[in-house]
Amino acid sequence: MAIEMINRHEGAMLGVAVGDALGAPLEFMSAKEIRRKHGTVREMLGGGWLSVEPGEVTDDTQMTLAVAEGIAADGDNPYQMVGANFLRWFRTHPKDVGGCCAAVLSRMSRSDTLHLADWHKAAESHDKASNGGTAGNGALMRAVYPALYYQPDKAQEVAANIAQMTHWHDHSTKTVQRYTAAINTIVHTPTMSAKEAKETAERIMADVREMLPAGRVEPTGYCVSSLLCAMNAIRDTDSFEDALVAAVNMGGDADTIGAITGGLAGAIYGSNGIPLRWVNRLENAPNRKTVQLFHQSEGATQQGGANTLAIRLLDLAHTAFSHSFHENYFG
């Protein structure tokens, strides 16, 4: 039982990174452009508008790490640490920062306080100034760790609070909470088969489908569309690899949809279901710098030729499992 729970915790964390890296060079391309240039993408490429190296992750994984490291450092009250991590990352001038995140982080970088209420005030202010422009997927892409670390109610509470640090819109909050609830239920139900896990995710997130008017789901940056693309890719396939290939080859916001799909599909199929060639392909040089930025311990990330990012994601998955297992059985 515990082994399967660990497998699913690991899968969710690794899934975000491999989904992000697989989709990154395809971002902003249409499905037709991808087919014309690459055929069906099943391997990690370089290039794209961000000029990524093959296997390089983007803000999706970087902000997921910022959240995870903050929670791992202080799970009882993680918000100040998470906020500090966001700003530490933002000040490195990363390749890509979503517009909503950039606006709020820029404002908070000029602030002397980092309390949750201050973040929420900044996000609410930006939502009003942008006419409800905080319904993007920038909070959803980083939401996996609260689902792994906490018990159900606390997981949704923390996930929503962290989402609202940058994205105030109700649609963002709702998609984050449903995504969190689905992953939380799946990883903490080790007897659930992959088929049952997919059905569980569909049931928990059924009302998300009602949030989008009838019509084709497009791979846009709108949080509801992004989550539905991920759900469709998982629903219509029977493996982690096929789900992720389906997701990123839609194009559009391919890295974020890949990361969202990877987190959920990783929980469903576990780390054993993730192709090892993808994990091994994660590019080490920039990813090592990302891990060092949040982990604040260079020695802990120097593992010879091993992949730094994969090691840290697995470490964080085990930390989350240990905490949730203790809370569930001894708390």
Side-chain angles (χ1 to χ4, degrees):
M1 181 176 72
I3 291 175
E4 183 56 29
M5 288 175 68
I6 293 171
N7 184 34
R8 285 180 161 165
H9 276 72
E10 291 178 346
M13 290 300 286
L14 289 173
V16 171
V18 297
D20 179 13
L22 191 68
L26 310 180
E27 188 178 21
F28 300 140
M29 296 176 68
S30 69
K32 186 178 294 186
E33 289 171 334
I34 294 170
R35 286 194 300 273
R36 184 168 62 244
K37 185 173 182 179
H38 302 294
T40 298
V41 174
R42 303 191 77 93
E43 307 302 332
M44 291 185 181
L45 309 172
W49 79 278
L50 288 173
S51 298
V52 294
E53 296 295 324
E56 182 179 350
V57 299
T58 72
D59 56 328
D60 302 81
T61 303
Q62 291 159 355
M63 294 194 82
T64 296
L65 274 175
V67 171
E69 295 285 8
I71 291 173
D74 186 0
D76 291 334
N77 186 26
Y79 308 115
Q80 188 160 351
M81 184 65 74
V82 170
N85 284 346
F86 284 169
L87 293 178
R88 187 180 297 120
W89 167 74
F90 184 61
R91 288 166 181 151
T92 67
H93 306 290
K95 280 185 177 181
D96 189 24
V97 187
C100 179
C101 286
V104 176
L105 292 173
S106 179
R107 174 170 175 164
M108 289 302 294
S109 68
R110 301 189 296 269
S111 174
D112 293 329
T113 57
L114 291 173
H115 299 299
L116 182 62
D118 300 301
W119 282 96
H120 285 178
K121 182 178 179 182
E124 183 178 16
S125 177
H126 178 62
D127 187 69
K128 290 179 179 177
S130 61
N131 243 347
T134 66
N137 56 22
L140 183 58
M141 71 188 192
R142 64 182 193 237
V144 69
Y145 204 69
L148 307 181
Y149 191 89
Y150 297 105
Q151 295 301 299
D153 291 344
K154 183 71 171 179
Q156 291 193 57
E157 174 192 336
V158 172
N161 278 332
I162 292 174
Q164 291 169 348
M165 289 171 72
T166 54
H167 290 66
W168 193 253
H169 200 284
D170 287 347
H171 288 189
S172 173
T173 303
K174 186 170 184 177
T175 54
V176 164
Q177 288 181 314
R178 295 298 186 272
Y179 183 74
T180 299
I183 292 176
N184 181 271
T185 301
I186 291 165
V187 300
H188 293 111
T189 313
T191 57
M192 188 181 291
S193 68
K195 181 177 183 292
E196 290 168 334
K198 288 167 62 174
E199 293 169 350
T200 296
E202 282 287 338
R203 174 179 53 78
I204 290 173
M205 295 192 281
D207 59 349
V208 175
R209 294 196 179 277
E210 299 170 5
M211 296 169 66
L212 197 68
R216 183 179 175 186
V217 176
E218 299 289 346
T220 69
Y222 172 42
C223 59
V224 175
S225 295
S226 294
L227 185 52
L228 290 179
C229 283
M231 290 170 63
N232 289 350
I234 291 169
R235 180 196 61 194
D236 297 338
T237 57
D238 293 307
S239 71
F240 179 92
E241 179 171 349
D242 288 345
L244 207 52
V245 168
V248 302
N249 281 277
M250 296 178 196
D253 203 357
D255 58 335
T256 299
I257 293 171
I260 295 165
T261 305
L264 180 55
I268 292 170
Y269 295 106
S271 59
N272 292 342
I274 300 177
L276 191 57
R277 72 182 193 279
W278 283 352
V279 178
N280 289 341
R281 196 70 169 105
L282 291 173
E283 214 290 328
N284 212 33
N287 295 339
R288 175 167 286 176
K289 293 177 182 177
T290 296
V291 171
Q292 290 172 354
L293 178 67
F294 301 127
H295 197 39
Q296 297 292 292
S297 176
E298 184 171 340
T301 64
Q302 299 296 334
Q303 304 284 344
N307 191 287
T308 300
L309 178 60
I311 290 170
R312 188 55 187 152
L313 290 170
L314 291 171
D315 283 347
L316 287 163
H318 290 190
T319 297
F321 164 76
S322 295
H323 178 269
S324 61
F325 189 85
H326 185 273
E327 286 289 301
N328 195 41
Y329 292 97
F330 304 106

